């Protein structure tokens, strides 16, 4: 078994100890679309608009939006939010999903205990994708 697969299997077991829908990517991975002011975590769920008012006092609200915090709270309770259907559909067949693969990677798993201890706290993402504009160098 590859290390990648072994890490995902280990993550599956650790995540299950918290809830049936817990996913570290909801905390530690972010895509930011600066041209439109949208974000998602991870990159599978639909994008949502970043509220600007909270950014005045809290720059981390760029990632830690109220929308994501609500989804995180649901995950801690075992709710399978519809925006993560990509993973639930794969898991229905008994397969490992990106929830297990992403959570099993070191950049996510290293935060496991801190997130479980304080799931509503703002977190700094480890895996960041930023879309600055729609220009394509390959055009
Ligand atoms: S459950 Fe799946 S779709 Fe949702 S954040 Fe995790 S990896 Fe992404």
């Amino acid at each position: 078994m590859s290390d990648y697969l072994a890490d995902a299997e280990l993550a599956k077991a650790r995540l299950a100890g918290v809830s049936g829908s817990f996913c570290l990517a909801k905390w530690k991975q972010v895509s930011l679309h600066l041209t439109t002011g949208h974000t998602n975590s991870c990159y599978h769920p639909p994008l949502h608009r970043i509220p600007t008012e909270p950014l005045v006092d809290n720059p981390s609200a760029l990632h830690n939006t109220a929308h994501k915090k609500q989804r995180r709270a649901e995950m801690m309770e075992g709710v399978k939010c519809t925006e993560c259907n990509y993973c639930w559909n794969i898991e229905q067949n008994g397969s490992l999903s990106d929830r297990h693969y992403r959570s099993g990677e070191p950049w996510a798993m290293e935060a496991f205990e801190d997130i479980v201890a304080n799931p509503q706290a703002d977190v700094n993402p480890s895996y960041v994708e930023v879309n600055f504009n729609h220009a394509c160098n390959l055009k």
Side-chain angles (χ1 to χ4, degrees):
M1 184 184 294
S2 70
D3 286 349
Y4 190 59
L5 188 56
D7 287 348
E9 292 282 8
L10 182 60
K12 182 179 181 180
R14 290 195 79 184
L15 296 172
V18 178
S19 86
S21 60
F22 184 41
C23 175
L24 293 169
K26 192 63 78 187
W27 280 257
K28 296 299 286 181
Q29 181 171 356
V30 62
S31 294
L32 293 169
H33 296 258
L34 299 183
T35 48
T36 62
H38 286 75
T39 182
N40 55 1
S41 291
C42 62
Y43 46 69
H44 291 306
L47 294 163
H48 63 275
R49 184 169 290 284
I50 302 167
T52 53
E53 194 272 330
L55 294 172
V56 174
D57 300 322
N58 178 17
S60 87
L62 203 58
H63 165 50
N64 298 289
T65 61
H67 174 96
K68 291 184 197 179
K69 288 188 166 185
Q70 181 59 36
R71 302 291 85 75
R72 292 169 184 172
E74 291 169 359
M75 284 182 165
M76 297 307 291
E77 294 170 2
V79 174
K80 294 186 174 180
C81 51
T82 56
E83 71 174 23
C84 292
N85 277 347
Y86 178 87
C87 285
W88 315 140
N89 290 339
I90 291 171
E91 291 176 26
Q92 256 183 356
N93 302 324
S95 302
L96 291 170
S97 72
D98 268 4
R99 183 169 75 93
H100 307 120
Y101 287 112
R102 298 286 85 76
S103 296
E105 294 187 47
W107 53 263
M109 188 51 77
E110 67 187 9
F112 180 94
E113 286 169 13
D114 287 344
I115 289 171
V116 170
N118 199 356
Q120 276 303 305
D122 288 345
V123 293
N124 292 327
S126 307
Y127 187 123
V128 179
E129 294 180 338
V130 182
N131 178 326
F132 292 99
N133 62 42
H134 297 303
C136 175
N137 293 337
L138 302 178
K139 188 177 179 183

